Each structure stands twice: as C-alpha cells, then as structure tokens.
Amino acid sequence: MARITPFKAIRPTADKVSLVTSRSYDDYGAAELAAYLEFNPFSFLHVLNPAYVNQQKLGWEKRFKMVEHKYQDFKKEGILVQEDKAVFYIYEIHSKNHTFTGILAGTSIADYQANVIKKHEDTLQYRVDLFKDYLHQTGFNTEPVLMTYQDNPEINEWVTRKKLEVPLYEFSTTNKEKHTLWKIDAETEINWLQEQFREIGNLYIADGHHRSASAELLYEQDKGSGNETLNHFMSFLIADSNVKIYEFNRIIRDLNGNSKEEFIKKIAENFVIKSKKQELWKPKHKFEFGMYFDGEFYALRLKEEKFTFGNTLEQLDAQILYNTVLNPILGLGDLRTDERIEYIPGTRSITSIKDMVDNGEFEVGFMLYPINISEIKAIADLDLIMPPKSTYIEPKFRSGLVVYEL
C-alpha cells in the first residue's frame, strides 16, 4: 500500500516560469552556465550557484547557507510564490521523440523504510551525507525522486481528462521541449488519487536513490523537531510504460597490463567476436555487446551455453560484462569509485566513445543493450542491487519548477 500526500509547493510566477526553470545544475558546461548566470537574472541557477566572491574556497556549510539566502531572495522578490493549500500536480514533458506524463506528490519516508518503495541501486554514503546536509541547511529540495508504478487504466484515463483542462503553466525551453503543469487541488480528486495509489501497492525508484536516502537520513536526524514535512519527500510518479530507459556505456583507461592479443584472446573465452571495422555498431539484443578498441568496432555475442544464471541480476548485461571482462580481465573493482572507468549515457552518440579512445585518453569502450523496466522491478523485488550506472532514465525534471520546502 503506497501512501502519497499533497504538499504546499513553492513555484515560479506564471510570467517567469520559462526564465526561472533550468536543467539539472550538473547538466551545464562551464561556458553555458556562465552565460545563463550573466544574462538571465531569474534563472534558478542563481539559487543553486549564488554569485558570492570566493564561494569555491568556502566550506560546504557556508556554501549551502548561501544557497538558502539566495532562495529566500527569490521569494522576497516575488519570483517564487507558495501555494495556498496542499496540492498534487500533473506534469508533462514533450520532447522531439517522447512525451512523459506523471504526478508530483509527496511520498512517505515510512514507506521507504518499510520497502513499500523499492530500490535497485546502492548509494555512496558520503553523497548521502552531503545531500542530507544540503537539505538541512537550505531547507528545500527541487529535484523529485523519479518513481514508477504499475500501469493503472483508471489513473491513465483520469490524467488524460485532466490534461484537457487549462494548465497552470505551458512553456517551451531552449532545448526544444514543451512543459505543461496542471494543479490538482479539489479535495475529492486528491482523496481519489490517494486511494488509487493505496491499491497499487509498491512504488519503484527509477532515478534518485541518493536523494531518497538523504531524505530518510534527514528525517532520522530531525524527526524530533515537530516538522512534519520531513515525513515525506517529493517524487515524480510515472507509469511503468512511460519511462524511457537508456544504457550507460563504459570506457576504460587501460588494459590492466594485457597486450592487444592477450586481451582479445581472453574475451574470446566467453564471447563470439566479430569485427565491424569502422561501422558505428551498437548492440540490438540482450547478451550482445559493442566494443571499440584499437581503431575498430567489434560485436561481442555471449556464449550463453557456458552460463547458468540463477536470478535476474546475474542475467543483466551490465553484470555479465563486469563478471566476464571488467573484473577478471581489466582488474576493475568497485565500479562506483574506480577512477579507471567512466560512463557515457546512451543518449550520446557512440562517436563520443570512439573519439575518447582515439585521442588516447581511454583504451577501450563497451556499448551495452538497455535494461527494461521489468528487469529493474524484478531485481528490486528480490532486494538485489544492480551494478552502478546500469541505467540512464528519462524524464529529467527541471530545477526550480516545483520546490518542496522542509
């Protein structure tokens, strides 16, 4: 039984919403970030990166306080306003190739702790601690956890009807996406939606394992304060069929002392290898892998007859690659922290992998076939943990669109 709750959000005024909202802070290169900060005084990037002198030399606590001060400035200047009452939202992102529609709501810390909200990724404790301190010092979060739920015809039909109504916001962004937000404030609809989710059962974290873990840690730290907003964290709930899952490809800096001949020979023990020369080849099926090495692309096909898989995790291509190549041949250990490996999301062209190998920064690149939502849910149901960077999942939420205050 999944419990969701409406919340009194902070959001931009309608006339400034397209100017305020931004992509995730980490999504910007240095030049693009500098341009936004210089020419757009309303961008939420000013909150996330307040322009104080020598801020980079300050400790995290002081930097987080500066973020909080700039956030309060945006509220005082009327750039951001608060809802009069607790509400839900329907949010739609329309890009060139996909349309994503979901529900913004508060999700329960108690459900997270009771495994009603299921996880499939491990977290780095220092990142959880750091974001917990960020939440504590700034008092707000604008990046919801992306969660999926089993497709529900009644919810789908209700969402379709609500989208015919006049939206709260409708705006476009410079990356050619259209964003639309509807407010759900009628008590009857709020109660109905809560009942629907109680009947759904489990929610599954698709993206945001560190954010949810940090929210739990903050709750445990401050639960005696009487602040009931800590009992929930903001989530973007989207039906299983509406998420888009890409692979994360791998590039490795060296061959762990192997010669080219030794490397290929060891891979051939578990894979059928076929040279694709200069064809920009990527896998089209599970158990297939692409490899770019020494100026050539290769297709690798797992010799399935050699393997007996015990569960869904063991069948994941990312796990197979680790067990057969990355660990035994290339000597990679903890994929979360090993500096010899980096990850390229499947949204980027594989020519970027070719370029990074060709310029000598990396020795070999591997392309994977994307995982599907059923595999993610099966692993979560078994309380297993997927290899790091197994999925790059869309949609991505815009910072500053809806803020959850703590």
Side-chain angles (χ1 to χ4, degrees), residues 30-47:
E32 188 180 15
L33 178 62
Y36 271 98
L37 292 173
E38 182 175 359
F39 296 110
N40 181 2
F42 299 112
S43 174
F44 203 78
L45 292 169
H46 287 286
V47 175

Side-chain angles (χ1 to χ4, degrees), residues 50 78 147 149 162 169 247 250 278 324 341:
M147 295 192 194
Y149 61 89
K162 297 304 295 182
Y169 301 139
E247 72 281 8
R250 281 92 164 99
Q278 293 302 304
T324 58
I341 185 170

Side-chain angles (χ1 to χ4, degrees), residues 144-291:
V145 175
L146 180 65
M147 295 192 194
T148 70
Y149 61 89
Q150 184 177 358
D151 278 72
N152 179 295
E154 291 187 50
I155 294 177
N156 291 344
E157 291 172 9
W158 174 78
V159 168
T160 299
R161 291 196 307 270
K162 297 304 295 182
K163 286 166 57 176
L164 297 175
E165 298 180 3
V166 177
L168 185 66
Y169 301 139
E170 188 174 25
F171 63 97
S172 297
T173 53
T174 53
N175 59 345
K176 297 183 179 180
E177 290 181 343
K178 179 183 175 184
H179 299 260
T180 314
L181 190 76
W182 293 264
K183 181 165 64 174
I184 309 302
D185 57 1
E187 288 297 325
T188 54
E189 291 188 299
I190 288 173
N191 293 336
W192 178 85
L193 194 58
Q194 288 176 310
E195 180 59 33
Q196 291 296 311
F197 273 91
R198 279 193 289 268
E199 294 177 4
I200 281 175
N202 295 112
L203 301 174
Y204 293 82
I205 297 176
D207 187 22
H209 285 79
H210 285 88
R211 295 192 293 276
S212 51
S214 297
E216 181 198 18
L217 195 61
L218 181 65
Y219 166 81
E220 291 295 340
Q221 173 184 292
D222 295 343
K223 62 184 177 182
S225 65
N227 181 2
E228 294 191 0
T229 60
L230 298 176
N231 298 339
H232 301 87
F233 56 96
M234 183 169 64
S235 294
F236 186 36
L237 309 170
I238 190 166
D240 289 344
S241 62
N242 197 209
V243 294
K244 177 63 178 176
I245 304 173
Y246 297 90
E247 72 281 8
F248 255 116
N249 299 311
R250 281 92 164 99
I251 47 175
I252 296 88
R253 297 186 187 279
D254 60 72
L255 297 184
N256 193 34
N258 291 286
S259 67
K260 175 182 177 180
E261 292 74 19
E262 290 171 333
F263 180 58
I264 293 293
K265 183 179 179 180
K266 289 177 181 179
I267 288 180
E269 293 177 8
N270 291 309
F271 297 89
V272 176
I273 305 175
K274 183 177 181 180
S275 174
K276 294 291 184 177
K277 304 297 183 182
Q278 293 302 304
E279 179 186 348
L280 296 174
W281 191 87
K282 60 190 300 186
K284 300 175 178 62
H285 305 283
K286 188 173 174 60
F287 299 145
E288 288 182 348
F289 301 81
M291 181 174 72

Side-chain angles (χ1 to χ4, degrees), residues 6 18 59 81 125 148 156 171 192 224 269 332 377 380 386:
S18 63
V81 295
Q125 192 57 46
T148 70
N156 291 344
F171 63 97
W192 178 85
E269 293 177 8
L332 293 165
K377 294 176 70 173
M386 287 168 48

Side-chain angles (χ1 to χ4, degrees), residues 107-134:
T107 48
S108 168
I109 291 288
D111 284 353
Y112 179 83
Q113 294 176 328
N115 207 33
V116 174
I117 296 173
K118 292 182 174 285
K119 311 96 180 166
H120 67 263
E121 288 186 7
D122 208 352
T123 55
L124 292 169
Q125 192 57 46
Y126 82 90
R127 286 185 57 190
V128 174
D129 290 337
L130 185 63
F131 194 64
K132 182 267 295 181
D133 292 341
Y134 172 88

Side-chain angles (χ1 to χ4, degrees), residues 1-28:
M1 183 178 74
R3 291 168 288 185
I4 64 171
T5 187
F7 60 99
K8 292 181 68 173
I10 309 293
R11 55 180 177 79
T13 56
D15 64 313
K16 297 182 180 66
V17 61
S18 63
L19 296 170
V20 172
T21 65
S22 68
R23 306 195 308 273
S24 173
Y25 179 80
D26 295 332
D27 218 21
Y28 293 88

